[in-house]
């Protein structure tokens, strides 16, 4: 069974966390919701979720995929050294790293998009290397999947 971690940081965008969680669990994947700062996390629109575990309990060698939801929580993810370490370890191991909406800017800032294609919510591509931004709804390039956001038309 595939093991997937979704990171929950304060200010996360609800649908970008809950929809992947719901769909992947319906597919019988082992999905763990990990709190970045707390086991109770408040979203952009003040919805509180309880997490299954905490970030410090996650190990890249025990995961198959990592999902970074967007929203204002993206800056919390970027500014948390343990998140950056986990993202880099997952990427180095060739494991799936997915980022939605604003969160792909983190991958750009970590130089993980060099020689790759990616998308994000328009305006967040400033951290992407030249030629990387596709403007598509979803872009997969190797082990990186990025999405422009749930409501992007």
């Amino acid at each position: 069974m595939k093991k997937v971690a979704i990171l929950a940081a304060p200010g996360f965008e609800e649908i970008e966390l809950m929809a992947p969680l719901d769909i992947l669990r319906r597919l019988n994947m082992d999905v763990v919701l990990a709190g970045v700062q707390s086991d109770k996390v408040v979203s952009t629109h003040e919805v509180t979720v309880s997490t299954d575990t905490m970030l410090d309990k996650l190990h890249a060698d025990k995961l198959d995929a990592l999902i970074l939801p967007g929203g204002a929580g993206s800056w919390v993810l970027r500014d948390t050294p343990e998140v950056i370490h986990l993202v880099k370890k997952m990427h180095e191991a060739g494991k799936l790293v997915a980022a939605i909406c604003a969160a792909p800017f983190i991958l750009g800032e970590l130089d993980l998009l060099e020689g790759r294609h990616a998308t994000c919510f328009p305006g967040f591509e400033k951290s992407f290397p030249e030629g990387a931004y596709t403007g598509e709804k979803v872009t997969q390039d190797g082990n990186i999947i990025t999405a422009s956001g749930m409501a992007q038309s």
Side-chain angles (χ1 to χ4, degrees), residues 26-132:
R26 287 173 189 256
L27 292 171
N28 293 317
M29 292 189 183
D30 183 6
V31 183
V32 61
L33 182 58
V36 172
Q37 295 180 341
S38 171
D39 63 349
K40 301 271 189 266
V41 186
V42 181
S43 73
T44 298
H45 300 104
E46 299 183 23
V47 174
T48 302
V49 298
S50 297
T51 64
D52 303 312
T53 192
M54 292 298 296
L55 172 63
D56 64 349
K57 304 290 188 224
L58 298 180
H59 301 283
D61 60 336
K62 304 227 187 289
L63 296 172
D64 297 297
L66 179 66
I67 299 174
L68 309 174
S74 298
W75 286 271
V76 175
L77 295 175
R78 183 204 55 195
D79 294 339
T80 303
E82 296 84 2
V83 170
I84 299 309
H85 177 76
L86 182 61
V87 169
K88 286 180 176 180
K89 286 290 187 191
M90 294 290 290
H91 180 70
E92 289 167 7
K95 296 184 178 185
L96 190 64
V97 177
I100 305 168
C101 195
F105 90 89
I106 299 165
L107 306 179
E109 286 190 1
L110 294 175
D111 295 326
L112 301 183
L113 301 179
E114 285 296 327
R116 299 210 182 216
H117 293 99
T119 195
C120 60
F121 191 84
F124 287 93
E125 70 277 6
K126 292 175 181 73
S127 70
F128 289 15
E130 187 172 332

